[in-house]
Amino acid sequence: MPVLRWIRRNLIVIAGLLTLAYMILPNIVVMVFSFNKPNGRFNYAWQRFSLDAWKDPCGVADLCGSLSLSLQIAFWATLGATALGTAVAFALVRYRFRARGAISSLIFLPMAMPEVVMAASLLTLFLNMGAQLGFWTVLIAHIMFCLSFVVTAVKARVLSMDPRLEEAARDLYAGPVQTFVRVTLPIAAPGIAAGALLAFALSFDDFIITNFNAGSTVTFPMFVWGSAQRGTPVQINVIGTAMFIIAVTMVLVGQLIASRRKSNARN
């Protein structure tokens, strides 16, 4: 039958579109319910359309404060993890030293280890050191578990780099710093950017590790979890929708810039 033949030819495309729809569906639900006006405390059933939550996204006490704190932690954790992760990735790829293989394997432990185990281990470490749980303990914990993801992203990019380009720069009398800034860094930039974006998303979204090491500090995921016990305000859906739109916009802009660069290079 023609229909069956068409399905066989496009099976991979259909499966990809269904998977994408499955992944995006929760975001669509969050977006739709950001325009809801529930009768009670729980925003789980559609009642009527309203823009009240969008007009006053900070109308719930401590919501924007927790959001600001999460953004600050994610920003500094991204900077720290990206700087350290990039240095580690270059060291693992470009240099030969003792225990290099062991260190490369240990980098993957935070990615493979259950978050609750890592959270409990970090809490034990901080308590034994006598550290006061709060902003700084959360930031240190986030840098630690984001580091592995940055190293993985940057390492993959560095492995694919052609060393002859740097050799050509040195042959043209470029110094080590000039070679790194004008040749190495631009080539490695996509991997570094990917690692940084991944670190930001993981840090902003984290709940388990943060909950163990936050003390009295309340981040946005912890605020959402606490609000769910009493009733989820519509403003949470507004913040989630805004973050989703920003993320999608950044991806689309990145793809547009990359495609323009490819077309310019061909011309």
Side-chain angles (χ1 to χ4, degrees):
M1 295 178 62
V3 176
L4 292 177
R5 285 197 299 269
W6 182 85
I7 292 176
R8 289 194 190 98
R9 287 197 306 268
N10 300 277
L11 185 60
I12 296 178
V13 176
I14 295 172
L17 292 175
L18 290 175
T19 303
L20 183 63
Y22 177 77
M23 294 172 61
I24 293 180
L25 182 60
N27 298 290
I28 300 300
V29 173
V30 169
M31 188 179 300
V32 170
F33 276 85
S34 69
F35 298 98
N36 187 29
K37 188 175 182 60
N39 293 327
R41 295 180 301 167
F42 296 96
N43 186 29
Y44 299 148
W46 180 264
Q47 300 296 332
R48 58 189 181 277
F49 181 86
S50 174
L51 293 173
D52 292 346
W54 283 92
K55 294 177 181 177
D56 189 16
C58 295
V60 180
D62 299 328
L63 188 151
C64 284
S66 64
L67 175 63
S68 175
L69 182 62
S70 285
L71 290 174
Q72 291 178 47
I73 293 174
F75 175 78
W76 292 113
T78 300
L79 284 183
T82 302
L84 292 173
T86 301
V88 171
F90 272 94
L92 291 175
V93 174
R94 295 294 179 85
Y95 299 95
R96 300 291 182 268
F97 51 89
R98 289 184 179 181
R100 175 172 169 268
I103 293 175
S104 184
S105 300
L106 288 173
I107 288 294
F108 291 94
L109 272 183
M111 300 172 63
M113 186 184 300
E115 280 195 66
V116 66
V117 176
M118 187 187 303
S121 301
L122 286 168
L123 176 61
T124 303
L125 174 65
F126 291 138
L127 292 178
N128 287 333
M129 294 175 59
Q132 182 70 33
L133 298 181
F135 177 89
W136 293 107
T137 55
V138 173
L139 179 59
I140 293 170
H142 282 208
I143 291 175
M144 201 205 80
F145 79 79
C146 289
L147 183 63
S148 298
F149 295 91
V150 176
V151 171
T152 302
V154 179
K155 185 180 177 182
R157 182 64 179 178
V158 176
L159 284 170
S160 65
M161 291 171 58
D162 189 352
R164 291 175 296 182
L165 296 175
E166 294 168 290
E167 293 173 2
R170 287 192 292 268
D171 290 340
L172 295 172
Y173 304 103
V177 176
Q178 193 175 16
T179 300
F180 179 79
V181 172
R182 295 197 174 187
V183 178
T184 307
L185 190 59
I187 298 175
I192 297 173
L197 291 174
L198 184 58
F200 186 90
L202 290 170
S203 175
F204 180 84
D205 185 60
D206 181 76
F207 172 77
I208 297 176
I209 295 176
T210 305
N211 191 40
F212 271 73
N213 299 279
S216 59
T217 303
V218 179
T219 61
F220 183 68
M222 294 176 64
F223 178 87
V224 173
W225 178 80
S227 298
Q229 315 299 314
R230 305 180 300 274
T232 308
V234 183
Q235 282 81 356
I236 289 178
N237 296 65
V238 173
I239 300 298
T241 302
M243 296 297 294
F244 175 73
I245 293 174
I246 292 172
V248 171
T249 302
M250 291 178 63
V251 172
L252 292 178
V253 170
Q255 292 293 329
L256 181 61
I257 294 174
S259 62
R260 285 188 175 178
R261 285 181 177 175
K262 288 182 179 179
S263 62
N264 292 336
R266 291 173 183 172
N267 297 331

